[in-house]
Amino acid sequence: MQVNGQIIRVIIVSFLIALFLGPVVIPILTRLKVGQSIREEGPKSHYKKSGTPTMGGIIIVFSVIISVFTSGYYTREIWAALFFMVGFGLIGFIDDYIKVVQKRNLGLKAYQKILIQFIFALLLAIYGSKYSAYGTKLIIPFANAYIDLGVLYIPFVLFVVLGTVNAVNLTDGLDGLSTGVTLIVMAAFSLITNSMKEISPIFEGISIISAAVAGACLGFLKHNANPAKVFMGDTGSLALGGAVAAVAVISNTVLLIPIIGGIYFAEALSVIIQVLHYKRTKRRIFKMAPLHHHFEMSGWKETKVVGVFWIITVILAFIGIYSV
């Protein structure tokens, strides 16, 4: 699987921008006192993180934008993926701003957040049906075949996009967890779409934007790994969720998300199971949800949970790469 020089350049540029933006942005966030508040019911080891600057996701977003703008490679699918990444990131930014700047702990109301997410997800589904590589067809992993969803495409993709964006958000609960997992996921999508660029130029564009996000995550990891100097906040987690969803939809690889993004899937599923079971029985299956907190509450160190989840994602990424 040959990787062209453009992808490598984009990764390096995005990585360096995120790396060097950290020392500039983090002190600004500190001065603005946009510190993270920690849930009292969470693991006690997290209390020391209270006050750590959040909203650091702007580092990732700007790194991706600048690396793409300087790449000289401008295509409709790249602009579309950027639009949805920034759009979902903007929802997170508003939520973070309300919580940490205006000191309203709940941020956007649940219905407001879901409504705005629904609008962007619907736009992405409509865009995918008209301008993705295969229209309303989806690549079936391991089968070397496609399935045409027809009129079911938009509602199905709408559901997947909303699920993916919020699953990535749920994964952002430990230092470096969501950053590292998304780095691996986007690197995998970049390799997969790069291998398909001879089929359609759309795949090459998606490969480049995926590489830009992977590079930004790698640079941000320097500031976000344990002990984190900055958190990405909803600004970053929703932007990354939007990026993952956008590249999957536009490249018709939506069915790869549960494989390559298996950690996202497990995190979201753990919350759903916990909530439904508790409402029915008033008992919990997991010590705490999402899943990463369950392992923490079981005695695992934070760094061990993150490391294991990264390793699992690498394995899943290789499975996903060889499934198409």
Side-chain angles (χ1 to χ4, degrees):
M1 186 178 294
Q2 185 178 1
V3 180
N4 64 38
Q6 182 72 299
I7 291 175
I8 295 174
R9 283 194 295 273
V10 167
I11 290 175
I12 293 174
V13 171
S14 188
F15 162 72
L16 291 175
I17 293 171
L19 190 67
F20 290 110
L21 269 182
V24 175
V25 173
I26 294 173
I28 294 175
L29 295 175
T30 302
R31 285 197 297 272
L32 292 175
K33 298 181 179 179
V34 287
Q36 180 73 39
S37 58
I38 305 299
R39 292 188 301 169
E40 291 183 3
E41 67 271 21
K44 291 182 174 56
S45 60
H46 287 211
Y47 292 171
K48 62 185 178 183
K49 299 181 182 184
S50 182
T52 301
T54 188
M55 300 176 72
I58 58 177
I59 295 173
I60 297 174
V61 173
F62 278 116
S63 299
V64 173
I65 292 173
I66 295 171
S67 65
V68 168
F69 269 83
T70 56
S71 71
Y73 196 91
Y74 312 128
T75 63
R76 181 170 59 192
E77 59 274 4
I78 285 181
W79 296 128
L82 273 180
F83 172 80
F84 290 109
M85 177 182 182
V86 173
F88 280 105
L90 186 59
I91 299 171
F93 178 84
I94 295 171
D95 193 43
D96 283 337
Y97 182 85
I98 293 172
K99 285 188 289 189
V100 301
V101 177
Q102 296 189 346
K103 307 302 181 184
R104 285 167 47 190
N105 290 336
L106 297 179
L108 284 171
K109 295 179 180 178
Y111 79 88
Q112 293 173 325
K113 189 182 295 187
I114 287 296
L115 177 61
I116 305 172
Q117 287 183 5
F118 181 89
I119 292 171
F120 276 102
L122 180 60
L123 289 174
L124 177 53
I126 294 171
Y127 180 91
S129 69
K130 294 181 179 296
Y131 301 111
S132 64
Y134 298 120
T136 57
K137 295 179 180 178
L138 299 180
I139 297 172
I140 303 176
F142 305 106
N144 193 27
Y146 309 89
I147 180 172
D148 193 344
L149 296 182
V151 295
L152 296 177
Y153 176 89
I154 289 179
F156 177 76
V157 169
L158 176 63
F159 172 77
V160 171
V161 171
L162 287 173
T164 300
V165 170
N166 286 287
V168 175
N169 187 31
L170 288 171
T171 306
D172 182 34
L174 302 179
D175 294 357
L177 177 57
S178 188
T179 307
V181 168
T182 306
L183 159 62
I184 299 163
V185 168
M186 294 305 274
F189 272 117
S190 185
L191 289 172
I192 290 169
T193 50
N194 179 68
S195 70
M196 302 169 73
K197 65 184 179 183
E198 301 301 327
I199 301 174
S200 168
I202 287 177
F203 289 113
E204 184 171 10
I206 292 302
S207 181
I208 288 173
I209 189 70
S210 299
V213 176
C217 286
L218 183 61
F220 185 71
L221 197 57
K222 171 65 170 63
H223 317 298
N224 185 235
N226 188 275
K229 301 179 184 69
V230 66
F231 299 138
M232 68 172 69
D234 283 1
T235 304
S237 60
L238 292 185
L240 291 180
V244 172
V247 300
V249 169
I250 299 171
S251 62
N252 302 91
T253 54
V254 166
L255 297 180
L256 282 176
I257 293 177
I259 300 175
I260 300 175
I263 290 297
Y264 303 146
F265 187 78
E267 295 274 36
L269 193 60
S270 69
V271 173
I272 295 171
I273 292 173
Q274 185 87 319
V275 171
L276 293 178
H277 187 75
Y278 185 79
K279 284 185 176 180
R280 184 178 178 182
T281 67
K282 300 302 179 184
R283 298 176 63 184
R284 293 178 173 84
I285 292 179
F286 302 103
K287 294 183 178 180
M288 188 176 179
L291 190 60
H292 56 260
H293 287 321
H294 169 78
F295 288 106
E296 270 197 296
M297 300 294 279
S298 298
W300 287 29
K301 291 185 177 180
E302 180 176 352
T303 50
K304 179 179 178 179
V305 178
V306 172
V308 169
F309 280 30
W310 285 359
I311 292 170
I312 292 172
T313 305
V314 169
I315 295 170
L316 293 173
F318 275 110
I319 294 172
I321 289 170
Y322 287 103
S323 72
V324 294

